[in-house]
Amino acid sequence: MNRPVAQTHLSQLAELLAWMDEAPERRALAPEARTPEGLWWEVLAGEDEKAWVWLEAGRVQGYGALVPFWDGAALEGPIVRAGNGRALLEHLVRKARQEGYPTLYAFPEAHNRAARRLLEEVGFSAQHTTYFYTIGRTDLSYPVPPGYKIERAEPCDPAVYRDLYSRAEDGWSLRLHWTDEELRQHFLGAEVELFMAFHTDRNGKPVGMVELELDDTQAEIAYIGVVPEARGKGLGRALLGAAAGWAFSNPQIGSLQVRAHDHEKAAQALYKQLGFREASAVVTYALELF
């Protein structure tokens, strides 16, 4: 049966998430926390998140939640160890409709055939696959092409960032919806760095950028992009090298992660050539609710 997540479920929910972590064929978007205390703050104290568990004989055997995302909501899960996974998923879809979300997204691991099958049975459609690659501490430096320079952008000017993002990006428009204050806050902490590339003999407008996110031991390229007229010169490669150099200047950072969508064949080939290994692949699903 479906029940809203309560404090009494948190220990078993932590166990369910640990079970999910053990194999790629079980993984889907899920809370970051893996302790009852962390789950309390992330799942129960979060104002926007609405979460449910599936109970079998009083035990937590499934989990799903709705989190605001883009123009709709993202689905955490479905994570199903036993019981009626379809009933849990259909419950989440009904709740999303009741909340008025126009679109519901889901992000299972590509190997998670069970979750993907459930999603497709209730009408979700696969949109694209995102591949994640990782590499250990490596010198990825690359010369900046003649006529260009790369600088660390601090502080971030929201207007400049938004203009560059709109000129360089051809699909993922999420950041264009962020307010000036949201952009400032995003780049305010030490865990996010932004580097921009400029043409040295023109009007000073940036032509490329790379966003770097850092935690205690790992760094991730959250976004890298170059405007169409500056592509094909090695500028994206130089931006990657600049971000990697900054990340690995911290001796605590042991690895760097990058991502590429399935249509970005050149980026995938470059990462493999540089020694990155594929760590995971996530399929984006969407269901139009209205």
Side-chain angles (χ1 to χ4, degrees), residues 40-50:
W40 190 93
W41 286 106
E42 187 171 352
V43 177
L44 292 182
E47 294 182 0
D48 294 327
E49 183 162 328
K50 298 172 175 61

Side-chain angles (χ1 to χ4, degrees), residues 150-155 187 189-190 192-198 242 246:
I150 294 176
E151 297 178 350
R152 181 167 166 248
E154 188 183 29
F187 291 106
V192 180
E193 296 291 344
L194 177 66
F195 296 83
M196 287 186 174
F198 300 84
W246 180 273

Side-chain angles (χ1 to χ4, degrees), residues 211-224:
E211 291 184 38
L212 179 70
E213 296 183 355
L214 305 102
D215 62 21
D216 293 338
T217 61
Q218 184 184 58
E220 179 179 0
I221 302 293
Y223 175 76
I224 186 168

